[in-house]
Amino acid sequence: MRTSVDDVKEKGIELEFSPDVKAAFLRLLPLRSISRFWGYLTSLDIPIWLRPSIYKAWARAFHADLEEAALPLEEYATLQDFFIRSLKSGSRPIDLDSNCLVSPVDGTVLRFGELRGPGALIEQVKGFSYSAYSLLGATTSLHEIVDMDAPEEQSEHSFTEEPHKTSWLRISLASPRIRHPISASPKKGVFYCVLYLHPGDYHRVHSPVDWQVLLRRHFSGRLFPLNQRATRTIRKLHIENERVILEGRWREGFMAMVAIGATNLYIEPELKTNRPKRQLLHTEPPDEKIYEPVGIGLMIKKGEEVAAFNMGSTVVLVFQAPISGSSGQYATPSDFKFSIRNGDRVKAGEAIGSWSGS
């Protein structure tokens, strides 16, 4: 059934931020308890004879490709096992070009651009943006590489919002801060890309590059839905939701990958998300872990499995990449350029941006 949203998109009109009563109502619901109950249901064993029928029905409803599943449907004991299923070997070839970043997930490109100016704003939807610092946390090393004194500029994909009154930028946390030799050279820009995973998508998260993961930061926030409607109606959706941040460095400098939603972290299996909250306040400090050896962390290869989501989720990449200092018609081949557009469907391992270089 077509909706007014479908009609607007077909006409090429971009939807704008528009909070409504339903979005406000979501804040009153016990979403964390509902999510845990759903998690309990999906962890129940399904009779073997019934599994193919259930999984095929799920696939029809959410347009999942069952041909890619690594195992016969009968071998997925629970809906959760099916949901985070692995794929047949070769289903997601990784672009091995050392001068490109690959998509960490199967999903839809929501937003991308370059972070410029004092706000370092990431666009949520046309008409509303949020600070990258609020997303990553007050102790992020991003502070050290973005020129806070630069004139406020916006990329073609970025829009401004009113100053953030009570953000993590203004809170001092008693957690260790990793300082590492990330270049603040003007020949490195800072970019972002936001990818949304539909319920029917392959839900494992892969590394976009070869990099060193120095620390993990976990915000046990809310569990709002992350679909298109929520994106355009819930203010600060990504920075209010529960999320796991992996932060470190790659050959071009800073790298952070943010998994928004209930997450299984393969590189740290003991981390549990979607737990009962002990505090009512949503401004509590994040849980932070520094990976050893300190300053070296975990070495992750491009394409390596890092995590898996339990439902429809979102990944945000924030990273440094080469720039020449020119823009527009004066940009050079050595400048990093995205090879995607808003609304594109991408698969894990496909290049989302590249540059020419040695």
Side-chain angles (χ1 to χ4, degrees):
M1 183 177 67
R2 292 184 61 83
T3 67
S4 58
V5 171
D6 296 324
D7 294 333
V8 168
K9 290 179 66 178
E10 189 175 90
K11 295 176 182 177
I13 301 173
E14 188 170 15
L15 294 170
E16 298 190 14
F17 183 72
S18 179
D20 60 14
V21 174
K22 290 183 179 179
F25 178 69
L26 279 176
R27 295 181 179 276
L28 304 178
L29 296 178
L31 295 178
R32 187 168 293 275
S33 297
I34 293 172
S35 178
R36 287 201 308 277
F37 180 66
W38 170 249
Y40 168 74
L41 291 180
T42 59
S43 67
L44 296 177
D45 276 9
I46 300 172
I48 295 177
W49 62 270
L50 192 56
R51 292 171 188 172
S53 298
I54 291 179
Y55 300 149
K56 288 178 182 178
W58 178 279
R60 286 193 298 270
F62 296 107
H63 311 289
D65 186 356
L66 297 183
E67 295 299 319
E68 295 181 327
L71 302 175
L73 297 183
E74 293 83 358
E75 294 191 30
Y76 296 107
T78 69
L79 189 58
Q80 179 67 13
D81 292 340
F82 170 74
F83 194 69
I84 61 172
R85 64 194 177 278
S86 59
L87 303 181
K88 293 176 181 175
S89 178
S91 296
R92 294 295 180 273
I94 307 300
D95 191 324
L96 297 179
D97 183 350
S98 61
N99 291 332
C100 83
L101 280 85
V102 301
S103 175
V105 294
D106 284 16
T108 300
V109 178
L110 295 185
R111 297 287 157 182
F112 63 93
E114 185 175 356
L115 296 179
R116 297 178 178 176
L121 298 176
I122 294 175
E123 185 183 20
Q124 177 174 308
V125 70
K126 185 177 180 181
F128 181 78
S129 300
Y130 57 87
S131 166
Y133 307 123
S134 297
L135 178 73
L136 300 177
T139 58
T140 177
S141 295
L142 185 64
H143 290 292
E144 301 171 20
I145 62 174
V146 174
D147 184 3
M148 298 299 289
D149 296 324
E152 186 168 352
E153 301 177 40
Q154 299 299 322
S155 72
E156 61 177 313
H157 303 283
S158 300
F159 295 79
T160 59
E161 63 163 328
E162 61 186 74
H164 191 46
K165 296 179 180 178
T166 55
S167 75
W168 283 98
L169 275 172
R170 305 180 184 276
I171 301 174
S172 175
L173 301 180
S175 58
R177 181 171 182 172
I178 291 290
R179 293 185 178 272
H180 44 76
I182 289 178
S183 171
S185 166
K187 294 190 177 183
K188 295 290 176 67
V190 182
F191 299 86
Y192 71 91
C193 181
V194 184
L195 301 161
Y196 169 67
L197 291 75
H198 295 269
D201 285 332
Y202 167 60
H203 266 58
R204 297 200 177 194
V205 183
H206 297 251
S207 175
V209 292
D210 295 341
W211 62 309
Q212 297 167 260
V213 181
L214 298 176
L215 60 86
R216 180 268 302 156
R217 200 174 291 120
H218 174 221
F219 286 86
S220 57
R222 300 177 185 272
L223 282 171
F224 290 127
L226 291 160
N227 55 32
Q228 184 184 68
R229 179 184 178 86
T231 300
R232 63 185 173 85
T233 59
I234 300 177
R235 188 177 295 272
K236 303 174 186 174
L237 175 65
H238 295 157
I239 62 176
E240 285 205 29
N241 258 14
E242 180 164 21
R243 60 197 184 279
V244 174
I245 297 126
L246 298 178
E247 187 173 306
R249 59 173 177 254
W250 69 307
R251 58 176 260 201
E252 300 300 332
F254 178 86
M255 170 64 69
M257 182 162 66
V258 184
I260 305 174
T263 309
N264 299 319
L265 194 61
Y266 293 149
I267 62 175
E268 190 186 335
E270 60 271 20
L271 176 67
K272 304 298 181 184
T273 62
N274 191 18
R275 310 299 295 174
K277 289 180 68 68
R278 295 185 177 89
Q279 300 182 31
L280 296 177
L281 295 177
H282 290 276
T283 56
E284 62 188 79
D287 172 55
E288 189 169 280
K289 177 176 180 177
I290 298 173
Y291 293 124
E292 296 183 348
V294 175
I296 297 177
L298 305 177
M299 307 299 293
I300 308 295
K301 304 296 288 184
K302 179 190 279 189
E304 185 176 335
E305 288 186 1
V306 177
F309 285 117
N310 295 329
M311 267 303 278
S313 309
T314 296
V315 167
V316 182
L317 297 178
V318 180
F319 57 93
Q320 280 186 290
I323 59 172
S324 64
S326 303
S327 61
Q329 61 180 331
Y330 302 108
T332 70
S334 62
D335 286 357
F336 173 82
K337 295 183 182 67
F338 284 104
S339 55
I340 50 178
R341 295 178 300 176
N342 289 339
D344 280 357
R345 294 277 296 159
V346 294
K347 292 186 176 181
E350 293 180 347
I352 58 173
S354 62
W355 70 98
S356 298
S358 57

